[in-house]
Amino acid sequence: MIMKMKFKINKKDDLKLFDKFARKLNLKSSRKRDFIIDYFLTLNKHISIEELYNQIKTKIPGIGYSTIYRTLRLLVLCGLATARQFEKGITRYEPVHIKKHHDHFICTRCGQIIEFHNRTIEKIQNNLAHKYHFLIQNHKLEIYGICQKCKKKGRRQWRASI
Amino acid sequence: MIMKMKFKINKKDDLKLFDKFARKLNLKSSRKRDFIIDYFLTLNKHISIEELYNQIKTKIPGIGYSTIYRTLRLLVLCGLATARQFEKGITRYEPVHIKKHHDHFICTRCGQIIEFHNRTIEKIQNNLAHKYHFLIQNHKLEIYGICQKCKKKGRRQWRASI
DNA sequence: CTCATTGCAAACGATTTGCATACCG
DNA sequence: CGGTATGCAAATCGTTTGCAATGAG
């Protein structure tokens, strides 16, 4: 029922787009930024700045948080990344190529996000769309609730936080 | 074609639910908190802490931010409010009663929103949730596309509005 | 009296920014 | 060289928390 999704990543085109964007804004090229962008665009899942920072740090030891933030801001500006807030206070970025057709379970207690894809739901959507003479471009399905771990935790642990 | 949905605001039941929740957690009652809850539950739109604070302040001048925060946290915990981040850095809360049956077709050209509800999609969601041991609290399904009218209009008319 | 609630100020965590330095063309 | 990119530390902003005072049962 649940399918792992495959994405055709067209990094080349994405990089070309960024180049054009960079020229428009008179940006100079930079090894570090280029590396971050290249790295980010190969991802097929959303990522937080912290995660990205830790991963990049292993490749560019001296890298700073601000550089990651500034680079991601540029990517969002030029449309190559999308920023989303699944849970409180943490922004997650996804490369534009995975924007389509993925759905999320989001735990409202611990913030865990489970991605899934379901064909039947999509089929129904298409039927409904047909009924309403609606041409589907894209959709977003988010299911909020409590994940297995948090259900087990029970009341005591979150009681403490009042 | 657009269906106005009616929400039965059942504040009485909501308050009862909170009472039960409060008893379980050994909360004492408090005028201020009760007022905030009552006020919040009559809203039919999401609200930010800042907005709520400013509105409550006109009724209870001495109120503090923390009280609002703490009360909303309780409401989220007991399921009477949902927290969402529509935009970066700001959490908005909505009363549960406007949170149900939240499916939308959204026309990306004219902005028309068609609300709909489909039982089968919900059934599938429940199956998926079961598989992941996930307890569903609510969900949001948004389908973006082009509505009947705009399909007929062709490109010229909506192009002008960009 | 015994706890829970509240307001305030301080703490916090994610993000942004000012500035001096490093880098690119 | 002139201007952009970077790292660092400090500033910011929404939110949380410690604590002393207040309120409820």
Side-chain angles (χ1 to χ4, degrees):
Chain A
M1 189 62 108
I2 312 251
M3 310 182 339
K4 262 254 161 97
M5 298 208 275
K6 283 178 202 160
F7 304 106
K8 202 174 62 184
I9 301 185
N10 208 329
K11 194 158 54 166
K12 232 182 180 178
D13 285 352
D14 287 351
L15 291 175
K16 232 183 270 174
L17 192 152
F18 185 81
D19 258 21
K20 204 175 140 193
F21 171 80
R23 238 173 289 126
K24 241 195 252 173
L25 265 68
N26 289 320
L27 306 184
K28 286 190 175 175
S29 78
S30 118
R31 296 248 175 86
K32 290 176 181 179
R33 185 167 60 204
D34 289 351
F35 183 87
I36 296 168
I37 292 175
D38 193 276
Y39 187 91
F40 176 78
L41 289 176
T42 62
L43 298 173
N44 55 11
K45 202 180 166 314
H46 47 76
I47 192 169
S48 69
I49 295 284
E50 193 189 357
E51 288 160 3
L52 190 55
Y53 171 73
N54 287 322
Q55 290 168 34
I56 297 282
K57 203 172 47 179
T58 68
K59 313 282 184 168
I60 312 176
I63 200 75
Y65 257 96
S66 351
T67 306
I68 311 278
Y69 273 110
R70 289 192 265 235
T71 303
L72 266 292
R73 188 201 294 166
L74 287 174
L75 287 172
V76 169
L77 268 177
C78 74
L80 287 175
T82 316
R84 312 194 66 186
Q85 285 71 47
F86 291 111
E87 47 174 332
K88 232 188 221 167
I90 298 177
T91 305
R92 305 189 69 85
Y93 297 85
E94 28 185 57
V96 72
H97 56 263
I98 69 162
K99 213 163 85 185
K100 286 183 184 173
H101 297 110
H102 64 294
D103 302 328
H104 300 111
F105 279 121
I106 300 158
C107 177
T108 54
R109 292 209 180 140
C110 71
Q112 187 194 184
I113 298 165
I114 303 170
E115 299 195 358
F116 69 91
H117 179 64
N118 182 283
R119 246 186 213 217
T120 315
I121 288 182
E122 250 159 59
K123 234 186 266 171
I124 297 172
Q125 285 180 12
N126 288 332
N127 290 344
L128 285 167
H130 183 73
K131 186 169 161 186
Y132 287 100
H133 309 281
F134 195 88
L135 176 63
I136 294 186
Q137 293 172 326
N138 197 337
H139 76 264
K140 201 166 85 172
L141 171 58
E142 291 166 8
I143 302 180
Y144 294 85
I146 301 169
C147 74
Q148 186 174 21
K149 254 191 255 167
C150 288
K151 274 197 294 184
K152 278 189 190 154
K153 266 191 225 162
R155 245 183 61 235
R156 201 166 312 151
Q157 294 193 26
W158 48 267
R159 173 67 183 85
S161 67
I162 298 173
Chain B
M1 198 44 115
I2 305 207
M3 311 181 328
K4 263 248 159 107
M5 308 260 288
K6 283 179 201 158
F7 303 108
K8 204 176 54 183
I9 302 186
N10 208 330
K11 194 158 56 164
K12 229 182 180 179
D13 285 351
D14 287 352
L15 291 175
K16 233 183 267 173
L17 192 152
F18 184 81
D19 256 22
K20 204 174 141 195
F21 171 79
R23 238 172 289 126
K24 241 197 250 174
L25 265 68
N26 289 319
L27 306 184
K28 285 188 177 175
S29 77
S30 116
R31 296 249 176 86
K32 290 176 181 179
R33 185 167 60 204
D34 290 350
F35 183 87
I36 297 169
I37 292 175
D38 193 276
Y39 186 91
F40 175 78
L41 289 176
T42 62
L43 298 174
N44 55 11
K45 203 181 167 312
H46 46 77
I47 193 168
S48 70
I49 294 285
E50 194 190 357
E51 288 160 2
L52 190 54
Y53 171 74
N54 287 323
Q55 289 170 32
I56 297 282
K57 203 172 46 179
T58 68
K59 312 282 183 168
I60 313 177
I63 202 76
Y65 257 96
S66 353
T67 306
I68 310 278
Y69 273 111
R70 289 193 265 235
T71 303
L72 267 291
R73 175 160 61 200
L74 287 174
L75 287 173
V76 170
L77 273 176
C78 74
L80 287 175
T82 315
R84 312 206 78 207
Q85 284 69 50
F86 290 108
E87 45 177 330
K88 226 189 220 167
I90 299 175
T91 305
R92 305 189 69 83
Y93 298 84
E94 25 184 62
V96 252
H97 57 263
I98 69 161
K99 205 37 214 162
K100 288 186 182 167
H101 301 118
H102 236 78
D103 301 335
H104 299 111
F105 281 121
I106 299 161
C107 178
T108 54
R109 290 200 184 151
C110 70
Q112 185 193 188
I113 296 171
I114 304 171
E115 302 195 355
F116 69 91
H117 177 65
N118 182 283
R119 238 168 231 248
T120 315
I121 288 182
E122 252 161 57
K123 236 187 264 169
I124 296 172
Q125 286 180 13
N126 288 333
N127 291 343
L128 286 167
H130 184 73
K131 188 162 175 182
Y132 283 102
H133 308 281
F134 195 89
L135 177 63
I136 294 184
Q137 291 171 327
N138 68 55
H139 73 266
K140 193 172 107 173
L141 170 57
E142 290 166 6
I143 302 180
Y144 295 87
I146 301 168
C147 73
Q148 185 174 24
K149 257 191 256 168
C150 288
K151 274 196 295 185
K152 280 187 190 158
K153 266 193 229 162
R155 245 183 66 240
R156 201 168 309 152
Q157 293 189 31
W158 52 265
R159 177 70 185 80
S161 68
I162 297 173

